[in-house]
């Protein structure tokens, strides 16, 4: 907890890069996606994946997927201590092998400030790499009074158009993230939203703009490509 609190103090929940100030995100050329997945029945081995795409074309520029040993046990609320070290190694390999392809922002399959102590995987990875990071989750993490109750489901049903959003405001009054409706592939009445939260070096409004700009389908392309690469 002390280490988590120490690192949490370094999180910058604001825009820090010139390209973030442009409504069209002019100057953003490379976006990355990271993920860690485990083979069925084996929690000691995982596939650590990093993909870098061009922006706004969203064409794959770089792929790195390799099996790694994960020795730190899972503890609720401290998942980052288990997963982030191998993701940092993936970023460092990229920086050494293809420094010109370093992403300007990373989309993380997980949460950022939307976390029991305000320091999810996206925050942890951002602080350790120094890169802007955004948490993109498919399910709501129940923190600060946030629950997937009937009111929450009604708010989701109120999202009608691609890109519609509503804020996730906890019992404390703090806005912890944003619920966003991505690209609808099937029925226009279907609503399977994304839960977007700040990781590091980006404000929530910009984080939502970036995620929207990266969506060709429900899942933003950097994370979708990570999964596709992993399955090959």
């Amino acid at each position: 907890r002390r280490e988590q609190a120490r690192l949490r103090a370094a999180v910058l929940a604001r825009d820090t890069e010139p390209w973030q100030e442009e409504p069209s995100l002019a100057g953003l050329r490379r976006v990355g996606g990271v993920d860690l997945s485990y083979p069925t029945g084996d929690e000691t081995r995982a596939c650590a994946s990093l993909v870098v795409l061009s922006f706004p074309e969203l064409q794959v520029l770089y792929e790195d997927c390799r099996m790694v040993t994960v020795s730190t046990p899972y503890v609720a609320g401290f998942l980052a201590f288990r997963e982030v070290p191998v993701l940092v190694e993936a970023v460092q390999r990229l920086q050494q092998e293809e420094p010109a392809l370093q992403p300007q922002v990373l989309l993380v399959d997980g949460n950022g400030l939307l976390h029991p102590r305000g320091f999810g995987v996206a925050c942890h990875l951002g602080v350790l790499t120094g890169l802007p990071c955004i948490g993109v989750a498919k399910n709501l993490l129940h923190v600060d009074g946030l629950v997937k109750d009937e009111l929450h489901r009604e708010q989701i049903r109120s999202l009608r158009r691609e890109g519609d959003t509503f804020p996730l405001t906890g019992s404390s009054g703090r806005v912890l993230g944003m619920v966003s409706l991505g690209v609808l592939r099937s029925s226009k009445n279907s609503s399977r939203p994304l839960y977007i939260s700040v990781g590091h070096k980006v404000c929530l409004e910009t984080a939502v703009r970036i995620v929207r700009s990266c969506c060709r389908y429900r899942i933003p392309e950097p994370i979708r490509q990570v999964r596709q690469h992993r399955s090959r």
Side-chain angles (χ1 to χ4, degrees), residues 102-230:
Q102 174 169 286
Q104 294 163 277
V105 61
L106 279 173
L107 273 58
V108 182
D109 190 359
N111 292 293
L113 295 181
L114 182 58
H115 178 271
R117 284 171 296 284
F119 196 69
V121 172
C123 296
H124 204 132
L125 183 62
V127 169
L128 292 188
T129 62
L131 295 174
C133 284
I134 300 169
V136 184
K138 299 181 295 300
N139 298 297
L140 176 65
L141 188 62
H142 294 182
V143 299
D144 195 14
L146 295 173
V147 292
K148 202 168 186 178
D149 56 11
E150 183 54 35
L151 174 60
H152 184 77
R153 287 188 284 269
E154 180 59 34
Q155 288 176 307
I156 291 175
R157 286 193 289 268
S158 72
L159 302 177
R160 297 297 183 186
R161 300 186 305 274
E162 296 171 3
D164 279 357
T165 62
F166 67 83
L168 285 168
T169 305
S171 299
S172 64
R174 292 180 298 126
V175 175
L176 302 177
M178 193 75 73
V179 182
S180 177
L181 194 61
V183 175
L184 302 177
R185 298 187 63 183
S186 54
S187 167
K188 290 187 179 298
N189 293 322
S190 66
S191 52
R192 298 170 59 203
L194 299 172
Y195 295 88
I196 302 168
S197 57
V198 168
H200 185 49
K201 289 187 172 181
V202 63
C203 74
L204 184 56
E205 179 183 10
T206 300
V208 171
R209 281 197 292 132
I210 293 169
V211 172
R212 282 179 181 171
S213 298
C214 289
C215 282
R216 288 176 172 168
Y217 305 95
R218 179 198 174 210
I219 304 299
E221 203 65 11
I223 294 176
R224 197 178 77 89
Q225 287 294 334
V226 162
R227 294 175 177 176
Q228 288 197 342
H229 177 68
R230 184 180 66 211

Side-chain angles (χ1 to χ4, degrees), residues 37-46 67 82:
S37 62
Y38 300 86
T40 302
D42 186 354
E43 295 186 357
T44 64
R45 297 279 291 167
M67 295 301 297
R82 174 176 170 84

